[in-house]
Each structure stands twice: as structure tokens, then as C-alpha cells.
Amino acid sequence: MNLAGFYDESMSNGAGWRAVLFVSGCPHNCPGCHNKVAQDYNYGTEFNTEKKQEILGKIKENSILKGVTISGGEPLCKENIGEVLNFIKDVKREKPNFNVWCYTGYTLEELENRNDETTNACLKEINVLVDGKFEIENKIPNLKFKGSSNQRILDVQQCIAQKKIIQWNG
């Protein structure tokens, strides 16, 4: 997996102060994508052990952070999801109470229908999922935490527990 970018601190990629990891590679090719360059799986730098440890160190040392957001590119595509899962687990080892947000072009239903071990394990680690492809015809510039009105902000753990869609109400 390649790393498209990393923010030490952000308040626009989820609720509260968060670190944000942007992965490279996306199969969706949504027209109007705000991060078109990150669609290329070869963009950015290799997310190797050294880079991961550097980022984990920044997260561990930053006392104002309340969580981490994984974005892209597409973090939950089959090419990236294994590394994303490992990263989330590493973050939670350092910061057990961290809240995890993830942005994906897949819907929760599409992810659940994969019914594979890695996807299921990853969903169990994510607190809030912003799901659905960006649709330029549904773009509303002032939407909070999402780009188009078709996208949903989901409380993943409640969705799993209740076996239905539960919107995050922050």
C-alpha cells in the first residue's frame, strides 16, 4: 500500500481533533473527485514499517488527538484493506480509546456482502463510516463531513449490533 498523505491534526475529517491517513489507490474514479491524484495506486510513498512507526509515534505523542481518520484514495478496496486493518489495530494498541473514522466509496451493504474475514474484522474496528461514492450531481458544499448528499455517516458498531443502518448523530 502507498501513502498519499498524512495530517498530524485535523478537525474537518471527522469529529474532534484527529490524525488523518490518506491511502493511495481507488477503483471508483468518481467524476469530480477532490483527491483525483490519490486514485493511482502508485502515487505517494510506500507505507512500509519505518513510515508506519513514524506516523504511530506522531499519534502517540499528540495528547489533543481523539481519533484517527482513514481516507484516500480508497482505504477499503481489496488492495488496501489488509494494511488499513493492521494500521488501525496498531493505533488502538497505542491509544485504546481512539475513535476511528473511515471514508469509503463502498456502501456498508457492499462491504458486508463481501463476507470475507479481513473486511469483517476491519468493520469491527471502525466507529464511524462515511460511505458511498462521491456524486458530483449531489454535491452540496456545506455538508458536514461528506461531499455529496447520497453519502451516509454511519455508526458502524450500532449497525453491526442492530443489523440495520444507524446514522451517526454525533
Side-chain angles (χ1 to χ4, degrees):
M1 180 174 88
N2 274 7
L3 179 66
F6 176 74
Y7 293 165
D8 292 32
E9 298 174 358
S10 171
M11 288 191 70
S12 60
N13 294 280
W17 283 104
R18 323 184 63 69
V20 186
L21 183 82
F22 296 91
V23 303
S24 296
C26 180
H28 304 302
N29 197 28
C30 301
C33 175
H34 79 282
N35 204 0
K36 190 101 172 141
V37 69
Q39 290 180 4
D40 181 353
Y41 288 90
N42 296 311
Y43 176 75
T45 58
E46 182 183 355
F47 191 61
N48 57 25
T49 303
E50 182 180 319
K51 191 60 152 170
K52 184 193 285 189
Q53 292 307 313
E54 175 189 331
I55 289 171
L56 288 170
K58 289 179 180 183
I59 290 171
K60 185 177 180 180
E61 293 168 10
N62 192 332
S63 63
I64 70 166
L65 296 177
K66 302 297 181 210
V68 64
T69 297
I70 316 296
S71 192
E74 175 54 72
L76 302 184
C77 66
K78 294 188 185 225
E79 295 83 357
N80 290 336
I81 195 167
E83 285 294 326
V84 167
L85 174 59
N86 290 336
F87 177 71
I88 293 170
K89 286 182 174 184
D90 288 343
V91 167
K92 286 189 171 186
R93 268 193 286 282
E94 296 293 336
K95 301 266 192 162
N97 297 321
F98 247 34
N99 177 277
V100 177
W101 281 52
C102 184
Y103 283 80
T104 181
Y106 299 105
T107 64
L108 178 60
E109 295 87 351
E110 289 170 326
L111 294 167
E112 289 176 331
N113 286 338
R114 283 184 188 171
N115 199 28
D116 72 83
E117 188 175 314
T118 304
T119 302
N120 294 341
C122 199
L123 289 173
K124 287 178 184 171
E125 299 293 336
I126 295 169
N127 300 96
V128 177
L129 188 71
V130 181
D131 80 340
K133 294 178 185 175
F134 171 75
E135 295 177 351
I136 196 159
E137 63 274 10
N138 291 316
K139 179 181 178 181
I140 300 176
N142 61 348
L143 287 173
K144 191 171 184 177
F145 303 132
K146 60 183 184 174
S148 57
S149 60
N150 63 293
Q151 295 172 312
R152 304 176 298 185
I153 304 175
L154 305 177
D155 182 329
V156 181
Q157 298 314 303
Q158 286 301 311
C159 291
I160 291 170
Q162 297 185 36
K163 297 185 183 349
K164 66 180 185 177
I165 296 301
I166 305 292
Q167 298 280 337
W168 175 78
N169 60 9

